[in-house]
Amino acid sequence: MRQAVILVGGKGTRLGGLTRNTPKPLLQIDGDRRFLDYLLTNVARHGISEILLIAGHLGDQVQQRYDGQRIGECEIIVVREPEPAGTGGALVHVRDRLDPVFLMLNGDSFFDFNYLALTSVLRPGDLGALALRWVGDARRYGATEQRDGRILSFREKDETLADGAWISGGVYLLRRSVLDYLGPLPCSIESDVFLQAAAAGRLGCATFEGYFLDIGLPETLQQGRDELPRVTRRPAVLLDRDSTLNVDTGYTHRIQDLRWTPGAVAAVRAINDAGWLALVVTNQSGIARGLYTEDQMRAFHAHMQRELAAAGAHIDGFYHCPFHPEAIVDTYRDADHPWRKPNPGMLRVALSDWQADTARSVMIGDQDSDIEAAKAAGVRGVKYEGGALDVLVRAAIAGA
Ligand SMILES: [Mg+2]
């Protein structure tokens, strides 16, 4: 999953004067942070490399603030719709840019779960897969009827939903072929595609329990202001790389040498599913020794991400220390670089970049230097001594 599309064109009429001069996703949450900032950060961290924002109402503001911006490796592109044409029209407008499979999100709701988990829900003949959330009062939303990972039908908003129902949480994995089912503009993905696809048994679904918020009402916008800064402050599992995630073949850097330790992929997936950050912090003295370059190391990490993605998992960020006292490459010679474990500098930067909840975070590694670095950075250290890494990681998360 390379690409995400976020629909940010809605008028937000139920928010009254608040959205007269501001697009709903650009409403302020905390300081200078807008609602859309939280959404973008969360999408980008899943290893998504391109986000298309489809803007409509007051789209110039979306364009000015976001077009061409980057979050890490992820590029943001703003496309403006000439006139409102429904959720279907928004997709038709970017049809030439869409990947065969892409993630789509509503720009006015925040549903916190492992987005890559949807990839295993989408079956070969499916047009899409929906992420469902149980809500105690579904009268605002309408509901879905589902069984065995399939959407059977949709129910309109009505009073009988007051006792709770499964709703679509506004995050979808779609095939580009949904475009073939859309009628003349304006049109709606929900009524033109999802109803038919569900009736034909071609709409997958999975349920998730993570935080859910729709900012469509003044009181839920206020709820977002009260809750989002805390909800998005995540603890991290800091992971050593060699002999922790991958078998160390001695300065491992060639993609054909990647062999995961037992349970390593499941361990990363468990971190993702728990809503924690997975951050790799690795000493790479092989770069200082001239055995390989930083670009070769990055290619190795990209290969790790591809293999993880196939299992619905991802690393949020890779941090490496290329410095060593006995470097052959001059630029990497440093007697005692603050990033080189057991020094805590690399861990501190990783935690700070992601504004992680340090008190609950944990460092897992196979060397004493990993544990010393953890102690110096003020996080728990857990030694990995072989065996199933996922068991160790789950216990470390549960112990927080
Ligand atoms: Mg190691």
Side-chain angles (χ1 to χ4, degrees), residues 73-93:
E73 304 286 302
C74 178
E75 184 180 14
I76 301 169
I77 298 165
V78 176
V79 182
R80 289 174 65 181
E81 272 192 289
E83 55 196 43
T87 51
L91 279 192
V92 169
H93 192 62

Side-chain angles (χ1 to χ4, degrees), residues 240-244 341 365-367 370:
D240 170 52
R241 203 195 78 181
D242 296 322
S243 294
T244 299
K341 295 179 287 185
D366 66 297
Q367 300 280 324
D370 294 317

Side-chain angles (χ1 to χ4, degrees), residues 284-285 288 320-325 327 331-334 337 339-340:
Q284 289 296 319
S285 71
H320 71 282
C321 177
F323 302 100
H324 193 269
T331 46
Y332 299 123
R333 192 174 306 123
D334 194 303
H337 197 279
W339 276 46
R340 184 167 166 78

Side-chain angles (χ1 to χ4, degrees), residues 279-309:
L279 304 175
V280 168
V281 283
T282 174
N283 283 351
Q284 289 296 319
S285 71
I287 295 164
R289 296 175 201 276
L291 299 171
Y292 48 93
T293 64
E294 292 191 278
D295 279 347
Q296 285 173 295
M297 178 207 65
R298 287 192 188 96
F300 186 82
H301 292 170
H303 184 63
M304 292 177 97
Q305 285 287 48
R306 282 192 295 275
E307 295 211 344
L308 288 167

Side-chain angles (χ1 to χ4, degrees), residues 93-113:
H93 192 62
V94 295
R95 69 184 315 151
D96 297 334
R97 292 173 175 263
L98 291 175
D99 283 358
V101 175
F102 58 94
L103 189 71
M104 187 177 89
L105 299 97
N106 293 343
D108 50 9
S109 56
F110 188 97
F111 189 8
D112 192 24
F113 66 95

